[in-house]
């Protein structure tokens, strides 16, 4: 059983994205709101970024670099700054940005009046659950994203037969290409990231039940009079797969062959192999009767909670394991979780410190495998960085500035005199 400090829990659904519980396996991310009437899960796929690679190196940089240096040496920093903004900025000035993969909505037919409610993340096994009771029936939801099989599992169960009725559908505001259904038990949504050579996304969900009825109408998947329902969700893009649709179908079929219990066991074994390598014990008191939000409210500048400190320590490890695994892209500014079409700081890789901060714990907490996506990104940057060094500065070697994206863009980002023209990103 997990320690109290390995659990984050609440007695109400999330009222906004920031209050939702994150789950992930590096490739796929989800934010669980745990709403009773209509569950809302925010979805992300690590490679779903706007557009594709561009050569943004300023073609006029090298010609103007000696003039900028001369202005600085002559005590004319204002003139140097003006010319720098013109000649040393990227063209265009902005790199690519990360995009949300959409939303999954699940209507339950329940009202918000419950006899009890718990929304929990167990960081000891990497599984989130929601439990509540309505009119004497207890309902449980389980959510986890399996890394070895790369599938998002959502399971609904009730302690009274034939009590579950659900409607699943995808949404992504106006930014959807196609929705549809297949085989009477599956629905999908596709979206184009836009831009030249933009990646193409597929979200695919299939459900099964031991009893009751599963069928599709339009863009909806419906479960009727079931005692349990297991939904298998796969996301993929053309960044890795020529046919994301076929990849999603195959992934889900393979997961179904294993079945829910084997997939869950596989997930726990894989996750615990990383999480259980390190533990922190500050001899905390048992604060299990406090929800996490109340526990935080009880801590101020004059008091401290060893239990909360342990929990914060464990949450950091959980987030790294959930957003950066071998073969995935690195944890970006928000890990893998983002619901904005224009996210803060583009939700990319700020390599003057922020990207590194995500990985401070990787080696000290024995999570070296989680570090490898960052090294893979640096390898992609090297080839581009050699071009930047030669084109912009007339130098050998490898140069990068303070931001990059999944294509390893090394040209300057934004027009900000205090950071844009810093040339030490490669170092």
């Amino acid at each position: 059983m997990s320690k109290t400090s390995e659990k984050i829990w609440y007695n109400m659904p999330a009222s906004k994205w920031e209050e939702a519980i994150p789950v992930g396996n590096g490739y796929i991310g989800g934010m669980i709101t745990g709403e009773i009437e209509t569950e809302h899960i925010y979805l992300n796929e690590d490679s779903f970024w706007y557009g594709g690679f561009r050569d943004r190196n300023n073609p006029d940089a090298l010609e103007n670099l000696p003039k900028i240096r001369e202005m600085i040496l002559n005590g004319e920093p204002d003139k140097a700054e003006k010319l720098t903004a013109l000649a040393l900025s990227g063209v265009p000035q902005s790199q690519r940005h990360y995009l949300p993969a959409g939303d999954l909505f699940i209507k339950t037919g329940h009202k918000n009046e419950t006899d009890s409610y718990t929304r929990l993340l167990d960081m000891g096994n990497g599984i989130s659950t929601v439990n509540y009771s309505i009119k004497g029936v207890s309902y449980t939801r389980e959510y986890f994203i399996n890394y070895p099989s790369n599938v998002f599992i959502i399971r609904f169960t009730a302690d009274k037969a034939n009590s579950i009725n659900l409607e699943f559908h995808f949404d992504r505001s106006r930014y959807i290409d196609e929705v549809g259904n297949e085989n009477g038990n599956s629905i999908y949504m596709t979206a184009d990231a836009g831009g030249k050579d933009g990646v193409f996304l597929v979200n695919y969900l299939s459900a099964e039940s031991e009893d009751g009825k599963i069928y599709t109408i339009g863009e909806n998947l419906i479960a009727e009079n079931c005692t349990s329902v297991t939904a298998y969700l796969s996301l993929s893009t053309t960044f890795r797969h020529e046919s994301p649709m076929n990849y999603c179908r195959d992934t889900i079929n393979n997961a179904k062959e294993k079945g829910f219990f084997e997939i869950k066991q596989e997930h726990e074994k894989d996750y615990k192999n990383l999480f259980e390598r390190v533990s922190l014990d500050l001899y905390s008191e048992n604060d299990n009767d406090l929800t996490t939000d109340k526990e935080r409210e009880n801590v101020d500048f004059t008091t401290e909670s060893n239990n909360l400190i342990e929990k914060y320590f464990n949450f950091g490890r959980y987030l790294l394991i959930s957003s950066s695994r071998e073969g995935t892209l690195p944890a970006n500014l928000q890990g893998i979780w983002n619901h904005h079409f224009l996210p803060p700081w583009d939700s990319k890789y700020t390599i003057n410190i922020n990207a590194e901060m995500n990985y401070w714990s990787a080696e000290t907490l024995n999570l070296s495998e989680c570090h490898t996506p960052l090294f893979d990104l640096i390898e992609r940057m090297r080839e581009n960085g050699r071009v930047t060094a030669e084109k912009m500065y007339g130098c050998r070697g490898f140069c990068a500035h303070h931001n990059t994206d999944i294509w390893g863009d090394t040209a300057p980002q934004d027009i900000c005199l205090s950071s844009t023209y810093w040339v030490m990103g490669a170092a």
Side-chain angles (χ1 to χ4, degrees):
M1 179 177 289
S2 299
K3 295 169 56 180
T4 304
S5 60
E6 292 177 359
K7 295 180 179 179
I8 293 172
W9 72 286
Y10 306 91
N11 59 10
M12 64 183 70
S15 63
K16 54 186 176 181
W17 184 88
E18 288 79 5
E19 295 175 357
I21 286 176
V23 291
N25 71 346
Y27 294 107
I28 302 170
M31 293 290 280
I32 311 299
T33 61
E35 295 172 72
I36 297 168
E37 189 170 354
T38 302
E39 170 66 280
H40 180 186
I41 302 175
Y42 298 88
L43 297 173
N44 287 104
E45 202 279 345
D46 69 332
S47 64
F48 194 50
W49 289 55
Y50 178 81
F53 176 73
R54 298 170 296 177
D55 182 349
R56 297 173 46 257
N57 295 296
N58 196 318
D60 297 315
L62 189 56
E63 177 185 349
N64 286 282
L65 186 60
K67 301 175 186 176
I68 293 168
R69 289 171 173 161
E70 185 177 353
M71 291 171 183
I72 293 171
L73 293 173
N74 289 339
E76 300 175 308
D78 291 345
K79 289 184 178 180
E81 284 190 354
K82 184 176 180 180
L83 184 55
T84 295
L86 295 171
L88 298 187
S89 299
V91 286
Q93 63 178 274
S94 295
Q95 292 172 340
R96 300 307 197 184
H97 63 279
Y98 188 42
L99 290 169
D103 306 278
L104 176 64
F105 292 97
I106 310 169
K107 295 181 181 179
T108 67
H110 297 159
K111 300 302 179 184
N112 290 330
E113 294 125 8
T114 62
D115 301 324
S116 61
Y117 180 93
T118 301
R119 178 169 56 102
L120 178 138
L121 169 63
D122 189 336
M123 295 179 285
N125 60 19
I127 297 174
S128 179
T129 55
V130 169
N131 293 279
Y132 59 88
S133 298
I134 295 179
K135 296 180 180 179
V137 181
S138 294
Y139 297 91
T140 298
R141 306 176 193 171
E142 294 178 81
Y143 316 81
F144 60 89
I145 306 182
N146 174 304
Y147 169 73
S149 295
N150 196 21
V151 65
F152 190 164
I153 299 294
I154 306 161
R155 181 172 170 86
F156 290 74
T157 56
D159 67 354
K160 181 181 178 182
N162 311 117
S163 298
I164 296 176
N165 295 279
L166 306 171
E167 294 179 15
F168 298 80
H169 80 274
F170 291 114
D171 200 358
R172 196 171 175 266
S173 187
R174 296 173 178 83
Y175 308 104
I176 296 173
D177 285 349
E178 184 183 356
V179 293
N181 67 70
E182 291 186 335
N183 306 320
N185 64 359
S186 304
I187 56 173
Y188 62 85
M189 179 189 78
T190 68
D192 193 323
K196 184 180 179 181
D197 303 322
V199 296
F200 183 76
L201 168 78
V202 173
N203 295 353
Y204 196 101
L205 181 141
S206 187
E208 60 184 11
S209 178
E210 296 173 1
D211 58 7
K213 186 179 179 183
I214 303 285
Y215 60 97
T216 57
I217 299 178
E219 62 180 306
N220 305 284
L221 187 152
I222 299 163
E224 265 183 17
N225 301 323
C226 302
T227 308
S228 68
V229 176
T230 303
Y232 300 82
L233 174 60
S234 179
L235 289 79
S236 180
T237 76
T238 49
F239 183 80
R240 293 189 179 93
H241 303 284
E242 185 176 348
S243 174
M245 185 70 79
N246 287 340
Y247 173 82
C248 288
R249 290 191 190 108
D250 291 343
T251 297
I252 287 176
N253 287 336
N254 291 336
K256 281 184 170 182
E257 285 184 14
K258 295 178 181 179
F260 169 75
F261 294 103
E262 184 177 336
I263 284 285
K264 182 179 179 180
Q265 186 178 42
E266 181 183 68
H267 162 74
E268 290 188 347
K269 181 180 179 181
D270 168 75
Y271 174 82
K272 288 181 178 181
N273 176 51
L274 296 172
F275 189 82
E276 291 182 349
R277 293 177 181 177
V278 171
S279 64
L280 175 66
D281 192 344
L282 301 178
Y283 305 100
S284 60
E285 296 180 3
N286 191 337
D287 294 331
N288 200 37
D289 57 333
L290 290 175
T291 59
T292 302
D293 52 329
K294 294 298 181 184
E295 190 176 358
R296 288 177 56 215
E297 288 175 8
N298 285 356
V299 176
D300 56 32
F301 291 110
T302 60
T303 63
E304 64 179 34
S305 164
N306 285 348
N307 187 77
L308 192 60
I309 293 170
E310 289 179 17
K311 191 170 295 189
Y312 187 71
F313 171 84
N314 289 326
F315 191 50
R317 296 191 297 138
Y318 169 80
L319 292 176
L320 182 58
I321 294 169
S322 301
S323 64
S324 183
R325 297 294 301 269
E326 289 181 280
T328 75
L329 292 167
N332 63 50
L333 280 172
Q334 294 177 200
I336 193 174
W337 304 277
N338 161 55
H339 66 301
H340 293 292
F341 284 88
L342 284 173
W345 287 3
D346 297 339
S347 195
K348 55 178 183 292
Y349 307 105
T350 302
I351 54 175
N352 58 0
I353 190 57
N354 302 92
E356 294 90 326
M357 290 170 70
N358 282 344
Y359 288 92
W360 279 351
S361 62
E363 302 299 335
T364 55
L365 300 182
N366 202 5
L367 295 173
S368 296
E369 296 95 326
C370 297
H371 214 167
T372 57
L374 182 61
F375 304 147
D376 294 340
L377 178 63
I378 293 169
E379 287 301 307
R380 283 198 295 278
M381 290 170 59
R382 283 206 303 167
E383 183 176 350
N384 300 329
R386 293 188 182 106
V387 176
T388 296
E390 181 180 359
K391 277 190 175 182
M392 290 190 63
Y393 304 107
C395 293
R396 294 172 293 121
F398 159 26
C399 171
H401 296 82
H402 83 298
N403 272 254
T404 191
D405 57 23
I406 63 172
W407 292 279
D409 189 338
T410 52
Q413 159 72 18
D414 297 329
I415 300 180
C416 177
L417 273 299
S418 63
S419 58
T420 297
Y421 311 100
W422 181 74
V423 294
M424 300 300 291

